[in-house]
Amino acid sequence: MAKKASENFKTYHNPNGPDITTVSRPILEADGLYFKDIDGSGTVSPVNDWRLPAEERAAAYVKQMTLDEKIGQLFISDWRMGPKYPSARIPGHVATPDESGVLDEGEVNQKTIFGEQHLPGTTTLIKDWFARHTILRENAKPDDMADYLNQLQAVAEECERFVPVSVASNSRNENGEIVFGMNDAGGIFPTWPGTLGIAAAIKGSGIEVADQWAEAIRRSWESCNLRKGYMYMADCMTDPRWQRSYGTFGEDPALISEVMEHIIPRIQGSDNGVTDTGVAVTTKHFPGGGPRENGFDPHYAAGQWNVYATPGSLQKYHMPGFVAAVDKKTSSIMPYYSKPSTEKSAVQQDCEGKDIRFDPYGFAYNRTFVHDILRGQMGFEGYINSDTGIVHNMCWGVEALDTAERIGFAIRNAGVDLISGLFDNQFGREAYDRATNGYYDTHTLPDGITPDMVTLNDEAVDRAVTRTLTEMFQLGMFENTYRDAKQAVVSCANAQDWTNADRAHRQSVVLLKNQGVLPLTADKTAGKKVYAEAFKKDPKQAEAATAALREMLAKDVTLTDNYEEADYAILFVNPSSGEYFNATAGYLELDICENKVVPNVDDHCRPMKETHLETTLAGTGKIADIAAAVHAKGGKVISNINFPLAWLVGNVERNVDALTAGFETYPSATLDVIFGRYNPTGKLPITLPRGDEVLAVNDQGVCISPNDVPGYDKDQYMPDALKDENGKAYAYRDAAGNYYELGFGLSY
């Protein structure tokens, strides 16, 4: 029934005002204008009057809501679209047999890295739990997405008090491997290269690339009724072993800031915050996830620290992107899981130049960073959306607190407004009740923490809900609640957006090495044989990629299956390292290698005597074999490496005559560069490390190149013994003497 209703919503046009769309809410008329009866009062109340400021309407609405309705809006978690749509790929998802409909699909046991919960059907979640924030991970088509999101709103309209369902998603407009919690979706909306590729394109072709990308994001998301994006990362990549490097814009704070300045207004719809034609941006991960302790990710315990070993690094490298995001009024900010290291960090200064006291709490629990610095000094006015799982699994620094206390500590003490992970309504209510039920007459808390820091009160709850409601009012979700599914298809197929995206793929290709080989024009390949192969960590995936590569090449060259008779070899190299939600036995391996012996690491990030084998690319040794055979015939070898991470490229570069870099770039775009159909313009957004020697960690767990300094600036901290005649130590240097450092890239 909800589906039929959502397909037949009614629209009321206001002259010089918002359109009103509704399925079941009454429409009020006053002063020749239309208003939706949002609060059920039957009057043009402050809540219903779209002429009033969003903040005023939100504050008025909170006063009408019950406590349980407000607590239901403190949490956001993954939600399924139902069996009609592709699986959300949630690891460990166990569905009961009665998942039979889109909205009333029955109960389900949902288990993820972020926690486990027994959940009701969607209608029960919306009506009884009053949940109003969900995370969408399915890679649905535009019309299916719009239809589904319309259905959610139609059910929400049936409640006594209407609050729209705010559905968030990770980014969807970049190419890349679909991985839960990282790249949940791709290829449906206009598809650019990965964010490192966008940075490479901007460095070579200008900021217009970011402008076009952001406009396409706003257009595609808004048309589907997807109004909140967990995007993008203002983090500065400083330790190359951080697996989330792939989602950054690289290591240049100035470029990161410029990107934030351009994309946030264009995605949100204005320079002054979100609009009713925009998409709300959640900038992450404050105050920057780059200074990982030797690369370890804070999804697991070994990576729970941000290490600021270098004086001034926090303000110089890690904060500028967030300052820019706040200046451009990003709607919300997501703090990182990690906590600042008090033991291994140098003294850092806040925005006013004062020394920072490093409280040993994860940043979502850290009042100094969230309340004092982000809000008090930087002037952030939006809401704080925690990263997913802080209450249950990634609760670094507050492990001694129970679930209810962690919720209270994050919201009331630190100033978080929306907690991501599970729909923890019962624990939220427990945190509220403990403020007055005498619980702490018999229960003690860790030293330095008092009951008023870990319990909820009306002021804290109302503050949090008012902030998230304000965003919904600003987005026009209360008034213009529905979208036309057919129009969503049209908007997402916008020809200019796809053209701009295709061009950005070509602009993202960086030419690193060229010993007179490229461009591989038709006259060079005439009468010649070309061998082509794709390499991956998974041999089966490599076979499929090789077949696809050869199919693309067949129209341009004469192919051979025997590299020993080839005049040219074209090798596509796509390494992979680590596993996102699991700690590696050692440091994240950046070498392009197979069965490499590397040390294990102990609980304090120190290398051990015990070792294990690491493979980032199956068949790594074959690259040298192919090169030797082709070179013996006087032929040339051309390779492309995909860079989600800053790989150690020596095992490839020393064997090839021409080398390009891609960043989740379409292979067809790379081939356009190789064959001279596009003159390469991309520039490196990161510095590629020279080798294991510049990533070495001593027996105290300290890296020879500081974790908190970007690659372009590491040389000033490197030992003189590692520096060459040019005073450089960190960046990889190829046979031609070129350093693969920030901003490098050749052209024809």
Side-chain angles (χ1 to χ4, degrees):
M1 188 164 109
K3 178 180 178 183
K4 182 178 179 182
S6 71
E7 290 176 342
N8 294 281
F9 59 85
K10 296 178 181 178
T11 302
Y12 299 82
H13 300 288
N14 279 306
N16 301 315
D19 284 350
I20 309 293
T21 55
T22 184
V23 168
S24 62
R25 301 303 289 190
I27 296 299
L28 310 171
E29 295 185 52
D31 302 325
L33 302 172
Y34 296 107
F35 302 85
K36 184 185 289 187
D37 191 2
I38 295 165
D39 61 6
S41 66
T43 66
V44 183
S45 65
V47 174
N48 298 335
D49 192 345
W50 47 259
R51 295 169 297 188
L52 297 177
E55 296 86 347
E56 183 178 335
R57 299 176 73 189
Y61 208 5
V62 163
K63 294 177 181 177
Q64 298 182 20
M65 293 180 180
T66 68
L67 176 62
D68 286 338
E69 286 173 339
K70 289 183 283 191
I71 285 178
Q73 296 177 69
L74 297 176
F75 306 100
I76 182 169
S77 187
D78 300 332
W79 198 249
R80 58 201 185 274
M81 285 180 68
K84 174 181 175 182
Y85 301 102
S87 166
R89 304 171 311 284
I90 299 175
H93 173 84
V94 180
T96 52
D98 58 347
E99 284 192 350
S100 56
V102 177
L103 293 181
D104 296 298
E105 66 279 55
E107 297 181 346
V108 61
N109 292 314
Q110 183 164 296
K111 181 179 181 181
T112 74
I113 179 69
F114 309 123
E116 183 175 4
Q117 192 167 36
H118 185 77
L119 295 167
T122 304
T123 298
T124 301
L125 184 85
I126 294 173
K127 289 189 171 183
D128 296 346
W129 292 32
F130 216 78
R132 287 300 183 271
H133 300 278
T134 66
I135 304 171
L136 178 68
R137 301 195 187 273
E138 278 88 350
N139 200 22
K141 296 185 299 181
D143 50 347
D144 284 342
M145 190 183 304
D147 174 63
Y148 166 72
L149 296 174
N150 281 350
Q151 291 178 59
L152 294 184
Q153 311 305 350
V155 174
E157 276 198 337
E158 295 172 1
C159 296
E160 179 182 357
R161 277 173 284 275
F162 169 54
V163 175
V165 182
S166 177
V167 179
S169 171
N170 286 325
S171 59
R172 292 172 173 260
N173 290 78
E174 300 84 58
N175 188 41
E177 182 182 2
I178 305 298
V179 178
F180 172 81
M182 301 188 347
N183 249 30
D184 293 313
I188 302 295
F189 292 167
T191 305
W192 266 249
T195 52
L196 284 173
I198 291 168
I202 292 169
K203 275 196 165 291
S205 300
I207 197 64
E208 184 183 19
V209 175
D211 295 341
Q212 295 170 346
W213 173 55
E215 290 286 357
I217 293 168
R218 184 196 58 76
R219 209 168 359 252
S220 52
W221 286 54
E222 195 275 340
S223 71
C224 293
N225 220 5
L226 190 58
R227 307 300 301 279
K228 173 180 161 76
Y230 282 159
M231 56 190 184
Y232 282 87
M233 292 171 64
D235 311 70
C236 180
M237 191 202 94
T238 52
D239 191 296
R241 293 159 295 192
W242 182 34
Q243 196 164 46
R244 287 303 294 273
S245 298
Y246 83 94
T248 71
F249 295 98
E251 67 181 30
D252 182 356
L255 176 66
I256 295 166
S257 298
E258 186 179 20
V259 170
M260 294 297 118
E261 289 167 357
H262 279 254
I263 68 171
I264 290 173
R266 286 166 177 80
I267 296 173
Q268 295 194 154
S270 82
D271 283 313
N272 198 37
V274 293
T275 66
D276 58 6
T277 59
V279 174
V281 171
T282 298
T283 304
K284 51 189 185 179
H285 305 85
F286 183 80
R292 313 283 355 104
E293 184 170 19
N294 301 324
F296 282 108
D297 192 283
H299 281 96
Y300 40 85
Q304 64 185 283
W305 302 102
N306 266 24
V307 176
Y308 303 102
T310 310
S313 65
L314 174 64
Q315 285 297 334
K316 184 175 182 180
Y317 305 120
H318 299 285
M319 293 289 277
F322 295 97
V323 171
V326 170
D327 286 347
K328 290 300 180 180
K329 299 190 180 300
T330 185
S331 192
S332 63
I333 283 181
M334 180 179 289
Y336 209 25
Y337 297 116
S338 51
K339 59 188 178 184
S341 171
T342 55
E343 179 184 351
K344 298 181 180 180
S345 293
V347 175
Q348 301 294 324
Q349 286 72 43
D350 60 21
C351 298
E352 297 176 350
K354 300 174 184 175
D355 291 350
I356 299 174
R357 183 190 69 206
F358 278 172
D359 297 322
Y361 306 125
F363 288 115
Y365 296 102
N366 203 301
R367 183 177 176 87
T368 296
F369 277 85
V370 172
H371 181 273
D372 298 345
I373 296 178
L374 180 58
R375 288 203 183 278
Q377 295 182 0
M378 296 170 63
F380 176 61
E381 297 176 348
Y383 66 92
I384 305 295
N385 190 143
S386 86
D387 214 334
T388 304
I390 65 155
V391 166
H392 295 273
N393 288 0
M394 282 68 80
C395 49
W396 311 128
V398 295
E399 294 91 337
L401 302 180
D402 65 23
T403 301
E405 289 165 343
R406 292 170 192 165
I407 290 169
F409 197 53
I411 293 175
R412 187 174 179 185
N413 185 68
V416 170
D417 303 297
L418 186 61
I419 292 179
S420 181
L422 299 178
F423 297 109
D424 276 327
N425 296 23
Q426 72 277 24
F427 292 112
R429 182 60 192 250
E430 177 68 16
Y432 181 90
D433 290 342
R434 285 180 184 178
T436 56
N437 66 7
Y439 178 85
Y440 290 105
D441 293 344
T442 56
H443 291 77
T444 59
L445 289 164
D447 290 345
I449 297 180
T450 59
D452 62 348
M453 298 167 69
V454 296
T455 55
L456 293 177
N457 60 7
D458 290 321
E459 180 182 3
V461 172
D462 288 358
R463 179 214 75 217
V465 177
T466 299
R467 285 177 178 160
T468 54
L469 285 176
T470 296
E471 178 185 83
M472 291 190 215
F473 278 115
Q474 291 170 332
L475 287 167
M477 295 178 67
F478 283 91
E479 273 73 43
N480 194 1
T481 307
Y482 300 93
R483 293 295 182 271
D484 184 328
K486 293 179 181 178
Q487 184 56 46
V489 174
V490 173
S491 294
C492 292
N494 183 287
Q496 188 60 59
D497 288 341
W498 284 95
T499 296
N500 292 340
D502 286 344
R503 182 171 56 251
H505 278 274
R506 286 146 185 81
Q507 292 169 323
S508 74
V509 178
V510 181
L511 180 61
L512 295 174
K513 180 180 182 179
N514 189 21
Q515 296 182 325
V517 181
L518 302 182
L520 199 60
T521 51
D523 60 307
K524 293 180 181 178
T525 59
K528 306 293 185 180
K529 293 182 179 180
V530 177
Y531 177 81
E533 185 169 356
F535 293 81
K536 288 177 172 280
K537 184 175 182 177
D538 184 327
K540 290 186 177 180
Q541 291 181 359
E543 288 180 13
T546 296
L549 175 61
R550 290 176 176 174
E551 183 178 354
M552 283 187 283
L553 285 168
K555 68 180 185 301
D556 294 309
V557 299
T558 301
L559 292 170
T560 176
D561 292 332
N562 181 3
Y563 60 78
E564 293 184 345
E565 65 179 28
D567 301 290
Y568 292 99
I570 297 177
L571 310 178
F572 272 46
V573 176
N574 193 347
S576 178
S577 188
E579 188 176 342
Y580 187 45
F581 292 119
N582 294 290
T584 51
Y587 306 116
L588 189 76
E589 184 57 53
L590 294 181
D591 199 7
I592 299 176
C593 62
E594 185 172 28
N595 294 325
K596 178 181 178 179
V597 179
V598 298
N600 292 356
V601 176
D602 66 17
D603 293 340
H604 300 282
C605 292
R606 299 173 301 200
M608 303 168 63
K609 293 182 179 179
E610 291 82 3
T611 62
H612 66 282
L613 299 179
E614 280 286 354
T615 292
T616 60
L617 192 79
T620 299
K622 187 179 179 182
I623 295 173
D625 294 340
I626 294 170
V630 174
H631 288 151
K633 277 186 90 254
K636 302 295 182 180
V637 181
I638 302 149
S639 184
N640 176 78
I641 302 175
N642 184 49
F643 285 90
L645 296 168
W647 302 116
L648 308 183
V649 300
N651 288 335
V652 176
E653 183 275 326
R654 67 174 62 100
N655 291 299
V656 304
D657 305 286
L659 180 63
T660 58
F663 307 87
E664 305 299 348
T665 303
Y666 286 155
S668 59
T670 303
L671 292 176
D672 279 351
V673 170
I674 289 173
F675 286 105
R677 295 186 287 263
Y678 189 89
N679 189 11
T681 56
K683 306 297 179 186
L684 281 177
I686 54 178
T687 299
L688 304 184
R690 164 180 165 184
D692 287 329
E693 65 270 33
V694 299
L695 300 176
V697 178
N698 67 20
D699 57 7
Q700 299 301 309
V702 178
C703 185
I704 196 169
S705 55
N707 304 140
D708 57 333
V709 175
Y712 73 86
D713 237 3
K714 286 186 189 288
D715 281 341
Q716 62 180 304
Y717 303 100
M718 302 296 290
D720 289 340
L722 287 177
K723 295 180 180 179
D724 63 15
E725 71 277 12
N726 297 316
K728 292 180 178 288
Y730 184 75
Y732 183 84
R733 189 181 190 183
D734 70 11
N738 292 316
Y739 297 96
Y740 294 176
E741 56 192 353
L742 177 69
F744 175 72
L746 303 172
S747 293
Y748 298 147

